[in-house]
Amino acid sequence: MAGDTGAGSARLLESVKALRSAVSELTLPLDLPEAPAARSARARLLDQLDDYVVPRLTALDAPLLAVVGGSTGAGKSTLVNSVVGREVSLPGVLRPTTRSPVLIHHPSDAAWFSGPRVLPGLARITGRHSASDGPGAVRLVSTEDVEAGLALLDAPDIDSVVEANRDLATQLLAAADLWIFVTTAARYADAVPWELLREASERGTAVAVVLDRVPPTSVDEIRTHLASMLRDQGLDRSPIFTVVESELVDGLLPRSQIERLTGWLAALAGDAAARADVVRQTLEGALASMESRTQELVAWSTEQTAAGDSLVEVAASAYEEASQQVHEGIADGTLLRGEVLARWQEFVGTGEFFRQVESTVSRVRDRFTSFLRGEPARADHLGEALQSGVESLVVNRAELAASAIGRAWRALPGGQQLLDADPDLARSGKDVDRRIQRLVRDWQGDILQMVRDEGRDRRTTARIMAYGVNGLGVVLMLVTFASTAGLTGAELGIAGGTAVVGQKLLEAVFGDQAVRELARKAREQLCARVDELYAAERARYEGAVTTLHVDPAQTERLTAAVAELRAAR
């Protein structure tokens, strides 16, 4: 540990604070299979940073905090009272015991514990126990019956049926310089305490074990077995203190049964070097565990980011495909089917008209001029049919994209969570039809403006006036869509005629190069408007993921913080 020098200690403390900041900023909002475990691990890591590592690095010379913990009914409070020599912690007669943890310290050490230096999330209370005591506060007991330099904290049961008690017990154990684990001859092999003992071993926490209520005839057998179990968990250096079954005297254990334990605690309190060794062991273990535990958070953060990216990619892919299909529909003649073809035939007259397509341009112009002047309403009908066709194509592909995203999200991690939070994500936006109608109208406005802009010179203006801006705009729309790809049979012949007739008419007004350019611009402008609308639809899904605050940068921050901690140690 780099804490042997002032500069080293300062750098280490700053690196730990930076790690704490990165962990606190970590969000794990998607309900992935690993999320509950990840959130719990994050909370425990923050607790240990706040309750132990930061306070201890801030004050390496602070008194040693020994947390007395164990299973329900193990006799923790009775043991603490017996060590002190009087009742300072109320033993629980009824189970579960729901009261505040009790921290017993020498009066000269009061300043170390009365403020928020350790366990900042717990309020401080003093005086006698009351019915209002609970796990949200720590009761401080100042007494000269404990040595200066060492404080005892009686924690709730680690296997309490009350979840708040269990959570607090785990938090307090992580805040300990020394964990005094109390168990009984009947329960020393229980699973729950050994899970915590394994965790203490992995984190390098200093541990002492009190084996309580041991039948006198079984002391050697049980002690030997317990020592073997501790050795298997890497806790072979942990001292074991045995308390045989005894009658309580005024609620306390006989002094003979706790004499070895009290002597060890007194020696520890009176030996600054020994206390420093315990602190160093636990602190170094905690710091070492920070790396591996943060790496787990990095992995979970990466999974969250990847899951969020997958959801966004599905939406992007669906609308990209929708855009591509609309682009193809605009170019492949799809929009010239059905109603549009009927209106086109009505617009140009009988089938005999198509036999005149090969005639001179002047004949085509004369026929159109006569038609447009005589019955302009038919141009409106064709324009409406074209508008309806475009709207239907864009709406249909939007709905298909939204449905595809809904199906895919239900099968992806976190997707169902987002759909449950906002069921509207399973379909297009509520006003998409209105926006698409507006889109097509605006595009038609683009077409008319293009016709006007193209007819700036006097000669072209006269031709436009002869045909009418609206009529030429409708024909330009139709030519924009008049490719024969995708059409067969009779439709192919009609669409082919459509392309030629419309093309010749526009060429008669603007010239062939200008018509090609006009059709290209018209197609690009429509595609751009559709892409913009689909981008807005896609943003609904991206926003849903972003709203959960899956921050891609959090993984990098955690990784950098771990690297800095490693360098500082």
Side-chain angles (χ1 to χ4, degrees):
M1 188 170 66
D4 294 337
T5 67
S9 296
R11 181 186 176 188
L12 182 58
L13 178 58
E14 288 306 309
S15 70
V16 167
K17 288 181 177 179
L19 175 63
R20 196 262 175 217
S21 177
V23 173
S24 68
E25 293 171 1
L26 173 66
T27 60
L28 302 164
L30 291 174
D31 290 335
L32 308 185
E34 304 83 0
R39 292 165 187 156
S40 178
R42 172 186 174 276
R44 291 198 302 272
L45 182 54
L46 277 176
D47 283 343
Q48 190 172 29
L49 284 164
D50 289 342
D51 297 339
Y52 180 67
V53 178
V54 171
R56 178 48 75 188
L57 282 172
T58 302
L60 289 170
D61 57 341
L64 193 76
L65 179 61
V67 175
V68 182
S71 302
T72 301
K76 300 183 298 299
S77 298
T78 299
L79 179 70
V80 169
N81 291 335
S82 299
V83 168
V84 175
R86 63 185 181 87
E87 184 181 280
V88 289
S89 182
L90 186 65
V93 178
L94 300 176
R95 306 296 174 192
T97 303
T98 54
R99 56 174 174 76
S100 301
V102 180
L103 195 157
I104 306 100
H105 61 82
H106 190 273
S108 63
D109 292 334
W112 293 109
F113 301 108
S114 58
R117 185 190 68 87
V118 294
L119 303 171
L122 297 179
R124 268 51 174 176
I125 54 178
T126 57
R128 295 185 60 82
H129 294 285
S130 70
S132 63
D133 286 2
V138 57
R139 179 172 295 280
L140 300 179
V141 176
S142 177
T143 175
E144 293 185 354
D145 293 322
V146 296
E147 300 287 339
L150 185 145
L152 297 175
L153 194 156
D154 183 13
D157 302 332
I158 59 176
D159 56 355
S160 172
V161 297
V162 178
E163 183 178 5
N165 283 350
R166 294 197 307 273
D167 291 343
L168 180 57
T170 302
Q171 179 182 350
L172 295 177
L173 292 175
D177 291 303
L178 169 66
W179 181 18
I180 301 177
F181 170 56
V182 182
T183 187
T184 65
R187 302 193 60 185
Y188 71 91
D190 286 358
V192 171
W194 282 98
E195 290 177 6
L196 291 173
L197 284 167
R198 277 191 291 272
E199 188 172 319
S201 175
E202 291 170 357
R203 298 183 186 179
T205 304
V207 177
V209 180
V210 176
L211 184 60
D212 195 10
R213 300 174 189 164
V214 184
T217 57
S218 305
V219 170
D220 292 340
E221 177 185 353
I222 295 175
R223 182 186 175 90
T224 300
H225 185 218
L226 175 59
S228 174
M229 295 178 70
L230 290 169
R231 185 167 54 251
D232 291 343
Q233 297 301 325
L235 295 171
D236 48 300
R237 296 176 57 190
S238 299
I240 301 175
F241 302 94
T242 305
V243 179
V244 300
E245 287 183 326
S246 308
E247 290 290 334
L248 299 182
V249 179
D250 296 327
L252 305 179
L253 293 166
R255 296 298 299 176
S256 61
Q257 293 299 314
I258 59 169
E259 189 172 18
R260 182 166 167 261
L261 173 62
T262 55
W264 181 75
L265 291 173
L268 186 59
D271 188 339
R275 294 200 311 273
D277 286 343
V278 171
V279 168
R280 185 178 298 107
Q281 174 188 338
T282 300
L283 183 56
E284 287 185 346
L287 290 171
S289 77
M290 295 288 160
E291 292 189 30
S292 60
R293 293 159 72 189
T294 305
Q295 290 296 351
E296 289 184 346
L297 291 181
V298 167
W300 283 319
S301 173
T302 301
E303 289 183 4
Q304 289 270 323
T305 302
D309 289 345
S310 294
L311 295 171
V312 170
E313 287 169 7
V314 163
S317 177
Y319 281 105
E320 182 178 347
E321 182 178 356
S323 289
Q324 183 62 34
Q325 290 172 345
V326 170
H327 293 186
E328 293 172 357
I330 291 170
D332 67 6
T334 298
L335 293 171
L336 301 183
R337 300 173 186 268
E339 179 71 11
V340 171
L341 283 174
R343 293 302 181 187
W344 172 250
Q345 288 178 301
E346 177 186 292
F347 184 59
V348 299
T350 65
E352 181 182 353
F353 180 81
F354 291 103
R355 290 193 289 272
Q356 300 178 6
V357 167
E358 300 300 327
S359 301
T360 63
V361 171
S362 61
R363 284 191 181 182
V364 175
R365 182 175 63 247
D366 291 344
R367 183 65 178 267
F368 268 85
T369 303
S370 173
F371 176 81
L372 289 171
R373 287 177 175 173
E375 298 185 54
R378 293 183 183 177
D380 294 338
H381 295 163
L382 177 57
E384 291 171 0
L386 285 166
Q387 176 181 337
S388 178
V390 176
E391 290 175 2
S392 296
L393 175 63
V394 179
V395 169
N396 175 261
R397 295 304 182 267
E399 293 295 346
L400 289 176
S403 296
I405 294 168
R407 289 193 301 273
W409 275 24
R410 289 186 182 93
L412 287 174
Q416 188 63 55
Q417 173 189 357
L418 291 172
L419 291 171
D420 290 342
D422 185 0
D424 287 340
L425 292 173
R427 61 189 70 87
S428 293
K430 293 179 180 179
D431 62 342
V432 72
D433 289 351
R434 178 188 58 79
R435 287 186 285 125
I436 290 173
Q437 290 171 3
R438 175 64 180 271
L439 178 155
V440 177
R441 288 196 302 271
D442 289 347
W443 177 66
Q444 288 173 318
D446 294 341
I447 294 286
L448 296 179
Q449 189 59 48
M450 288 167 57
V451 171
R452 295 189 190 97
D453 291 344
E454 195 64 29
R456 288 194 183 97
D457 67 77
R458 186 176 302 172
R459 183 178 178 184
T460 307
T461 300
R463 292 173 182 171
I464 292 175
M465 291 177 64
Y467 293 113
V469 172
N470 288 345
L472 290 175
V474 168
V475 176
L476 179 54
M477 288 174 60
L478 185 135
V479 170
T480 301
F481 306 137
S483 171
T484 57
L487 301 180
T488 59
E491 283 186 329
L492 179 61
I494 297 170
T498 299
V500 173
V501 172
Q503 188 87 11
K504 285 185 177 295
L505 173 62
L506 293 178
E507 288 175 0
V509 178
F510 302 113
D512 57 349
Q513 180 59 37
V515 170
R516 284 193 292 271
E517 185 66 13
L518 286 170
R520 181 189 64 79
K521 286 182 179 179
R523 189 178 298 113
E524 288 180 352
Q525 287 181 359
L526 177 56
C527 289
R529 287 186 179 276
V530 171
D531 291 348
E532 183 179 353
L533 181 135
Y534 284 170
E537 284 295 287
R538 183 180 69 243
R540 296 169 55 231
Y541 298 91
E542 295 172 347
V545 175
T546 303
T547 298
L548 290 178
H549 306 296
V550 181
D551 182 4
Q554 65 187 13
T555 302
E556 297 176 6
R557 289 195 294 269
L558 282 173
T559 302
V562 171
E564 174 57 27
L565 176 61
R566 187 182 302 115
R569 289 181 61 221

Short mmCIF file of all heavy atoms in Angstrom, two decimals, residues 323 326-327 330 394 439 442-443 446 520-536 538:
data_model
loop_
_atom_site.label_atom_id
_atom_site.label_comp_id
_atom_site.label_asym_id
_atom_site.label_seq_id
_atom_site.Cartn_x
_atom_site.Cartn_y
_atom_site.Cartn_z
N SER A 323 -36.87 2.98 -45.13
CA SER A 323 -36.45 4.02 -46.07
C SER A 323 -36.05 3.42 -47.41
O SER A 323 -36.42 3.94 -48.47
CB SER A 323 -35.27 4.81 -45.48
OG SER A 323 -35.68 5.61 -44.41
N VAL A 326 -39.08 2.44 -49.38
CA VAL A 326 -39.76 3.60 -49.95
C VAL A 326 -38.97 4.13 -51.15
O VAL A 326 -39.55 4.48 -52.18
CB VAL A 326 -39.95 4.70 -48.89
CG1 VAL A 326 -40.44 6.00 -49.53
CG2 VAL A 326 -40.95 4.25 -47.84
N HIS A 327 -37.64 4.21 -51.01
CA HIS A 327 -36.81 4.67 -52.12
C HIS A 327 -37.05 3.79 -53.35
O HIS A 327 -37.18 4.30 -54.48
CB HIS A 327 -35.34 4.63 -51.75
CG HIS A 327 -34.96 5.62 -50.70
ND1 HIS A 327 -33.66 5.84 -50.29
CD2 HIS A 327 -35.71 6.47 -49.95
CE1 HIS A 327 -33.63 6.76 -49.38
NE2 HIS A 327 -34.87 7.15 -49.12
N ILE A 330 -40.46 4.39 -54.85
CA ILE A 330 -40.52 5.63 -55.61
C ILE A 330 -39.96 5.43 -57.01
O ILE A 330 -40.44 6.01 -57.99
CB ILE A 330 -39.75 6.74 -54.87
CG1 ILE A 330 -40.51 7.13 -53.59
CG2 ILE A 330 -39.53 7.96 -55.75
CD1 ILE A 330 -39.73 8.05 -52.67
N VAL A 394 -45.58 5.25 -47.62
CA VAL A 394 -44.77 5.71 -46.48
C VAL A 394 -45.37 5.25 -45.16
O VAL A 394 -44.66 4.79 -44.25
CB VAL A 394 -44.63 7.24 -46.50
CG1 VAL A 394 -43.80 7.72 -45.31
CG2 VAL A 394 -43.98 7.70 -47.81
N LEU A 439 -46.09 15.85 -45.09
CA LEU A 439 -44.86 15.60 -45.85
C LEU A 439 -45.14 15.60 -47.35
O LEU A 439 -44.43 16.25 -48.13
CB LEU A 439 -44.26 14.26 -45.42
CG LEU A 439 -42.99 13.73 -46.10
CD1 LEU A 439 -42.26 12.78 -45.16
CD2 LEU A 439 -43.29 12.97 -47.40
N ASP A 442 -46.09 19.03 -48.62
CA ASP A 442 -44.91 19.88 -48.71
C ASP A 442 -44.07 19.50 -49.94
O ASP A 442 -43.51 20.38 -50.61
CB ASP A 442 -44.06 19.77 -47.44
CG ASP A 442 -44.71 20.43 -46.25
OD1 ASP A 442 -45.68 21.19 -46.45
OD2 ASP A 442 -44.27 20.17 -45.11
N TRP A 443 -43.98 18.20 -50.19
CA TRP A 443 -43.22 17.77 -51.36
C TRP A 443 -43.90 18.24 -52.65
O TRP A 443 -43.22 18.66 -53.61
CB TRP A 443 -43.08 16.26 -51.37
CG TRP A 443 -42.35 15.74 -52.58
CD1 TRP A 443 -41.05 15.94 -52.91
CD2 TRP A 443 -42.91 14.94 -53.64
NE1 TRP A 443 -40.74 15.33 -54.09
CE2 TRP A 443 -41.87 14.70 -54.56
CE3 TRP A 443 -44.18 14.40 -53.87
CZ2 TRP A 443 -42.07 13.95 -55.72
CZ3 TRP A 443 -44.37 13.65 -55.02
CH2 TRP A 443 -43.34 13.43 -55.93
N ASP A 446 -42.83 21.54 -53.18
CA ASP A 446 -41.48 21.55 -53.78
C ASP A 446 -41.56 21.40 -55.29
O ASP A 446 -40.85 22.10 -56.04
CB ASP A 446 -40.65 20.39 -53.21
CG ASP A 446 -40.36 20.54 -51.73
OD1 ASP A 446 -40.48 21.66 -51.20
OD2 ASP A 446 -40.00 19.51 -51.10
N ARG A 520 -34.86 13.95 -61.11
CA ARG A 520 -33.90 13.52 -60.10
C ARG A 520 -34.07 14.33 -58.81
O ARG A 520 -34.09 13.76 -57.71
CB ARG A 520 -32.48 13.70 -60.64
CG ARG A 520 -31.38 13.26 -59.66
CD ARG A 520 -30.01 13.66 -60.14
NE ARG A 520 -29.86 15.11 -60.20
CZ ARG A 520 -29.62 15.87 -59.13
NH1 ARG A 520 -29.53 15.31 -57.92
NH2 ARG A 520 -29.48 17.17 -59.26
N LYS A 521 -34.18 15.64 -58.95
CA LYS A 521 -34.36 16.48 -57.76
C LYS A 521 -35.64 16.14 -57.03
O LYS A 521 -35.68 16.09 -55.80
CB LYS A 521 -34.36 17.95 -58.16
CG LYS A 521 -33.01 18.52 -58.55
CD LYS A 521 -33.14 20.00 -58.88
CE LYS A 521 -31.79 20.62 -59.24
NZ LYS A 521 -31.92 22.06 -59.58
N ALA A 522 -36.71 15.93 -57.79
CA ALA A 522 -37.99 15.61 -57.16
C ALA A 522 -37.90 14.32 -56.35
O ALA A 522 -38.39 14.23 -55.23
CB ALA A 522 -39.08 15.49 -58.23
N ARG A 523 -37.24 13.32 -56.94
CA ARG A 523 -37.10 12.04 -56.26
C ARG A 523 -36.24 12.19 -55.00
O ARG A 523 -36.56 11.67 -53.94
CB ARG A 523 -36.49 11.01 -57.21
CG ARG A 523 -36.50 9.58 -56.68
CD ARG A 523 -35.93 8.59 -57.70
NE ARG A 523 -36.75 8.58 -58.92
CZ ARG A 523 -36.34 9.01 -60.11
NH1 ARG A 523 -35.13 9.49 -60.25
NH2 ARG A 523 -37.14 8.94 -61.15
N GLU A 524 -35.13 12.93 -55.11
CA GLU A 524 -34.24 13.11 -53.97
C GLU A 524 -34.92 13.88 -52.85
O GLU A 524 -34.74 13.57 -51.67
CB GLU A 524 -32.97 13.85 -54.41
CG GLU A 524 -32.05 13.00 -55.27
CD GLU A 524 -30.80 13.77 -55.69
OE1 GLU A 524 -30.75 15.00 -55.44
OE2 GLU A 524 -29.90 13.14 -56.28
N GLN A 525 -35.70 14.88 -53.21
CA GLN A 525 -36.37 15.67 -52.18
C GLN A 525 -37.42 14.84 -51.45
O GLN A 525 -37.56 14.94 -50.22
CB GLN A 525 -37.01 16.91 -52.81
CG GLN A 525 -36.00 17.97 -53.21
CD GLN A 525 -36.66 19.20 -53.80
OE1 GLN A 525 -37.88 19.26 -53.92
NE2 GLN A 525 -35.86 20.19 -54.17
N LEU A 526 -38.14 14.01 -52.17
CA LEU A 526 -39.13 13.15 -51.51
C LEU A 526 -38.42 12.16 -50.60
O LEU A 526 -38.84 11.95 -49.45
CB LEU A 526 -39.97 12.42 -52.55
CG LEU A 526 -41.00 11.43 -51.98
CD1 LEU A 526 -41.93 12.12 -50.99
CD2 LEU A 526 -41.80 10.78 -53.12
N CYS A 527 -37.35 11.54 -51.09
CA CYS A 527 -36.60 10.58 -50.26
C CYS A 527 -36.05 11.26 -49.01
O CYS A 527 -36.08 10.68 -47.92
CB CYS A 527 -35.47 9.96 -51.08
SG CYS A 527 -36.01 8.81 -52.36
N ALA A 528 -35.56 12.48 -49.17
CA ALA A 528 -35.00 13.18 -48.01
C ALA A 528 -36.07 13.47 -46.97
O ALA A 528 -35.84 13.34 -45.76
CB ALA A 528 -34.35 14.49 -48.47
N ARG A 529 -37.25 13.86 -47.44
CA ARG A 529 -38.34 14.13 -46.50
C ARG A 529 -38.76 12.85 -45.78
O ARG A 529 -39.04 12.86 -44.58
CB ARG A 529 -39.52 14.76 -47.23
CG ARG A 529 -39.29 16.21 -47.65
CD ARG A 529 -40.55 16.83 -48.23
NE ARG A 529 -40.36 18.22 -48.62
CZ ARG A 529 -40.45 19.24 -47.79
NH1 ARG A 529 -40.72 19.02 -46.51
NH2 ARG A 529 -40.27 20.48 -48.22
N VAL A 530 -38.84 11.76 -46.51
CA VAL A 530 -39.21 10.48 -45.89
C VAL A 530 -38.14 10.05 -44.89
O VAL A 530 -38.46 9.61 -43.78
CB VAL A 530 -39.40 9.39 -46.97
CG1 VAL A 530 -39.57 8.01 -46.32
CG2 VAL A 530 -40.62 9.72 -47.83
N ASP A 531 -36.86 10.19 -45.26
CA ASP A 531 -35.79 9.83 -44.34
C ASP A 531 -35.84 10.65 -43.06
O ASP A 531 -35.61 10.14 -41.96
CB ASP A 531 -34.43 10.02 -45.02
CG ASP A 531 -34.18 9.03 -46.15
OD1 ASP A 531 -34.96 8.05 -46.26
OD2 ASP A 531 -33.23 9.24 -46.92
N GLU A 532 -36.16 11.92 -43.21
CA GLU A 532 -36.27 12.80 -42.03
C GLU A 532 -37.42 12.35 -41.13
O GLU A 532 -37.29 12.32 -39.90
CB GLU A 532 -36.48 14.24 -42.49
CG GLU A 532 -36.55 15.24 -41.35
CD GLU A 532 -36.74 16.66 -41.83
OE1 GLU A 532 -36.70 16.88 -43.06
OE2 GLU A 532 -36.95 17.55 -40.99
N LEU A 533 -38.54 12.00 -41.72
CA LEU A 533 -39.68 11.54 -40.92
C LEU A 533 -39.34 10.23 -40.22
O LEU A 533 -39.64 10.05 -39.03
CB LEU A 533 -40.90 11.35 -41.81
CG LEU A 533 -42.18 10.89 -41.08
CD1 LEU A 533 -43.38 11.67 -41.54
CD2 LEU A 533 -42.42 9.39 -41.27
N TYR A 534 -38.71 9.29 -40.93
CA TYR A 534 -38.36 8.02 -40.30
C TYR A 534 -37.30 8.21 -39.22
O TYR A 534 -37.27 7.48 -38.23
CB TYR A 534 -37.86 7.04 -41.36
CG TYR A 534 -38.97 6.44 -42.21
CD1 TYR A 534 -38.67 5.69 -43.34
CD2 TYR A 534 -40.31 6.60 -41.88
CE1 TYR A 534 -39.68 5.11 -44.12
CE2 TYR A 534 -41.32 6.05 -42.64
CZ TYR A 534 -41.00 5.31 -43.76
OH TYR A 534 -42.00 4.75 -44.53
N ALA A 535 -36.42 9.19 -39.42
CA ALA A 535 -35.43 9.49 -38.38
C ALA A 535 -36.13 9.95 -37.10
O ALA A 535 -35.72 9.60 -35.99
CB ALA A 535 -34.45 10.54 -38.87
N ALA A 536 -37.18 10.75 -37.27
CA ALA A 536 -37.94 11.20 -36.10
C ALA A 536 -38.63 10.03 -35.42
O ALA A 536 -38.70 9.96 -34.18
CB ALA A 536 -38.97 12.25 -36.52
N ARG A 538 -37.56 6.89 -35.52
CA ARG A 538 -36.49 6.11 -34.90
C ARG A 538 -36.05 6.75 -33.59
O ARG A 538 -35.71 6.05 -32.62
CB ARG A 538 -35.31 6.03 -35.86
CG ARG A 538 -34.15 5.17 -35.34
CD ARG A 538 -33.00 5.12 -36.32
NE ARG A 538 -32.32 6.40 -36.44
CZ ARG A 538 -32.25 7.13 -37.54
NH1 ARG A 538 -32.85 6.72 -38.65
NH2 ARG A 538 -31.60 8.27 -37.55
#
